Amino acid sequence: MAESRTVQHQRSLDDPDGFWLEQAKALDWITPPTKAGDWSFDEAEFHVRWFEDGVLNVSANCLDRHLPEHANRTAIIWEPDDARVEPQHFTYAEVHAEVCHFANVLKAQGVKKGDRVTVYMPMIPEAAFALLACARIGAIHSVVFGGFSADSLAGRMEDCGSAVVITADEGRRGGKTVPLKTTVDEAAKIFGGVKTVLVVKCTGKDVPMTRGRDVWYHEAASKVPADCPPEPMKAEDPLFILYTSGSTGKPKGVVHTTGGYLLWATLTFRTTFDYKAPEVFWCTADVGWVTGHSYLVYGPLANAATTLVFEGVPNWPTAARIWEVVNRHQVATLYTAPTALRSLMKEGDDIVKATSRKSLRLLGTVGEPINPEAWRWYHDVVGDGRCPIVDTWWQTETGGHMITPFPDTPTKPGSATLPFYGVEPKLLDGEGKELHGEAEGNLIIARAWPGMMRGVWGDEKRFFETYFRTFPGVYTTGDGARRDADGYWWITGRVDDVINVSGHRMGTAEVESALVLHDDVAEAAVVGFPHDVKGQGIYAYVTLNSGVEASEDLLKALKAHVRHEIGPIATPDAIQFAPGLPKTRSGKIMRRILRKIAEGEIGALGDTSTLADPSVVDDLVRNRVG
Ligand code: ATP
Ligand code: MG
């Protein structure tokens, strides 16, 4: 199979039209496409189109086409925040009925094809119904993570001119309630263009409703017909807008289209996870992130899979919750992020070992480079050494997996292994010269693929300028990578995070992995800062394991440990013990802010609106070393 993967990959590059028109048969087209990719990355004739003459509907592909054979198969399992509340199961027939109703409610509110609909929802089944309902009538959804502030919500609604928002009275997460409707009310004061607020009853909290603007979903749903035919959409019609997580700057409204995106989500889900019905697939990402779009909703449902939607958080009420959910629903594939793994790892192995987990077949990770230490723990402890790990590298912009193992690809801890079909990664040096063989440099993608973004909403120039200006003719990922002697790819982190110490280039991820290897360290973030002698010095922020005290001795031990693991050149110049690190809502460390603190530029921290907990920044500034 490893060989047939290589052969298939080569064919996808040698005969892209033949390959992709054949793969496109994985979807149910109203009018099948006769053309595959039509694109140019050159500035003068820049364009990207896939399956241009094809016509289809995404919700029909995710639901209607499965009804003849799988109407009674479970499409969605819902696991509530509070484990004492009964989980819910929805069959494909039930989800279909819910989505048709939801779509008719949107229509009754005047939503039309091409309108932008904001989705600001907790992790309840209605979140998935809302997405599919938009897709059914050709409205463009823009999901905003339910943890974002009124400012962030208003900014995103204004950016894409969205007059309609779907929300809930309140959400629940980790035993707390989240006042969604109240936040929408505040957002509507900031952005005056909010015309309709559709409110799903979730906790039953009595929330104020504004006449003429706010509508209870259940009341509206009782007045609409059950039947809603899917709207025929051109392959290149936008399906959704999604704002990136903002790790590196102001979030961009990434636009994905109907045909190419759905094919990419469908094919990567099927191939990377080797999904076999009726297994249960669990992606722990919130629907507010691209991972939630592609691998919680669209990829699984397009494949008639059973997808688990979890309302809560993996470590509430205890660190065993995630494993209890695995057992309760007999989860076969678990797809989660390194940040979640590190926080679970910190609590020790006994909690994991006390649970069976024997339904697990495959483990997946996404979101950040996974430290080899966390990889081994995932493999040896969580998977009992029995389950392969797929370390999937991709971005909001790419729509789905780009470099990833398949379950039978031989893996190396920390490597995302090989490119997916149709993906042609290359390494360039700083001047744009291609590097061959074993090398490290800027990761670029040399050709278009069906699932790639088609633009930045409302800012045509920003798309080209952000991704195609630095290195002409190719898509610049912004990530660095290394290719080893076997042709395996290792993502080294964002290019901005590469530091140069006394002429030695080093990925910060490498130093972080060395620190995390130490028994007392739970998490580490490393940045460079200007250094008179070395050019750049190394500044490390370290979070210790539960119960470990910070001390001068430990500080020395950590420096010695890194020296021993990597070499004297990597010895941190400064180590700051930090109870918390600034993370985006999707759990990624915002090194941009840490860099500013290390540099002493605390007046210019930039946009911090996507931080999960802005208060950690104050602590970091107060306890700055130097
Ligand atoms: P912004 O673009 O606004 O700065 P972001 O890049 O964090 O936000 P995403 O699109 O969610 O937003 O994240 C994609 C990035 O996550 C990749 O560019 C890469 O840096 C990192 N990443 C994702 N998966 C992996 C992985 N398996 N290995 C290494 N890095 C990964
Ligand atoms: Mg990015």
Side-chain angles (χ1 to χ4, degrees), residues 10-40:
Q10 195 56 46
R11 195 168 90 71
S12 73
L13 300 188
D14 293 344
D15 175 22
D17 290 349
F19 182 86
W20 285 113
L21 285 176
E22 189 183 309
Q23 296 302 323
K25 292 179 187 153
L27 302 182
D28 193 14
W29 299 85
I30 298 165
T31 310
T34 63
K35 285 194 275 184
D38 172 6
W39 57 274
S40 166

Side-chain angles (χ1 to χ4, degrees), residues 5-6 14 26 60 106 209 264 279 285 292 297 302 318 320 369 388 438 457 481 578:
R5 170 174 184 171
T6 323
D14 293 344
L106 291 175
M209 300 290 278
W264 200 252
E279 284 180 352
V297 180
T318 71
E438 267 186 86
W457 185 267

Side-chain angles (χ1 to χ4, degrees), residues 282-535:
W282 183 17
C283 164
T284 66
D286 191 277
V287 67
W289 313 121
V290 72
T291 310
H293 285 54
S294 300
Y295 302 110
L296 185 75
V297 180
Y298 291 122
L301 297 181
N303 282 288
T306 300
T307 181
L308 191 142
V309 175
F310 176 38
E311 188 182 32
V313 290
N315 55 0
W316 185 84
T318 71
R321 181 67 190 277
I322 183 168
W323 318 121
E324 288 161 4
V325 174
V326 165
N327 287 343
R328 185 180 207 180
H329 299 291
Q330 294 293 293
V331 171
T333 300
L334 175 67
Y335 190 36
T336 191
T339 178
L341 293 173
R342 285 191 300 263
S343 79
L344 293 164
M345 209 169 129
K346 171 164 92 173
E347 306 300 329
D349 298 357
D350 295 346
I351 296 174
V352 188
K353 287 182 174 154
T355 62
S356 131
R357 290 160 285 108
K358 72 175 188 305
S359 59
L360 287 175
R361 170 181 69 80
L362 181 69
L363 303 170
T365 155
V366 57
E368 283 178 291
I370 180 163
N371 327 93
E373 168 86 345
W375 194 102
R376 288 201 188 85
W377 183 80
Y378 203 19
H379 185 266
D380 298 346
V381 179
V382 174
D384 287 320
R386 166 174 55 79
C387 309
I389 294 184
V390 288
D391 175 3
T392 63
W393 174 81
W394 60 295
Q395 310 177 299
T396 306
E397 295 90 335
T398 71
H401 304 154
M402 294 294 279
I403 301 182
T404 180
F406 300 161
D408 59 357
T409 307
T411 47
K412 306 182 189 187
S415 170
T417 74
L418 300 167
F420 196 79
Y421 303 138
V423 175
E424 189 182 15
K426 286 184 177 170
L427 292 174
L428 303 185
D429 70 11
E431 274 67 57
K433 198 161 75 45
E434 186 176 353
L435 303 166
H436 297 278
E438 267 186 86
E440 184 169 336
N442 294 287
L443 175 64
I444 62 92
I445 310 294
R447 60 170 79 200
W449 63 99
M452 75 181 287
M453 70 185 284
R454 299 295 197 269
V456 174
W457 185 267
D459 195 344
E460 213 177 310
K461 281 222 185 78
R462 197 168 172 205
F463 183 37
F464 186 87
E465 294 301 323
T466 310
Y467 305 97
F468 301 92
R469 174 66 72 199
T470 324
F471 302 118
V474 299
Y475 169 83
T476 298
T477 66
D479 285 347
R482 181 163 65 81
R483 185 175 41 218
D484 72 13
D486 296 324
Y488 270 37
W489 294 83
W490 301 72
I491 309 300
T492 53
R494 300 172 196 274
V495 177
D496 293 350
D497 295 334
V498 171
I499 46 184
N500 194 325
V501 182
S502 309
H504 296 268
R505 283 167 57 81
M506 217 178 312
T508 50
E510 202 183 343
V511 187
E512 289 164 9
S513 288
L515 283 163
V516 174
L517 209 52
H518 191 280
D519 283 344
D520 293 338
V521 175
E523 192 149 44
V526 166
V527 296
F529 69 98
H531 190 286
D532 292 345
V533 183
K534 304 180 187 176

Side-chain angles (χ1 to χ4, degrees), residues 525-567:
V526 166
V527 296
F529 69 98
H531 190 286
D532 292 345
V533 183
K534 304 180 187 176
Q536 269 187 307
I538 298 178
Y539 194 113
Y541 299 83
V542 169
T543 306
L544 297 171
N545 274 327
S546 312
V548 178
E549 288 283 326
S551 71
E552 198 60 34
D553 284 348
L554 181 55
L555 198 126
K556 286 197 191 114
L558 289 179
K559 288 189 181 180
H561 169 78
V562 175
R563 196 177 313 130
H564 172 77
E565 286 296 324
I566 310 180

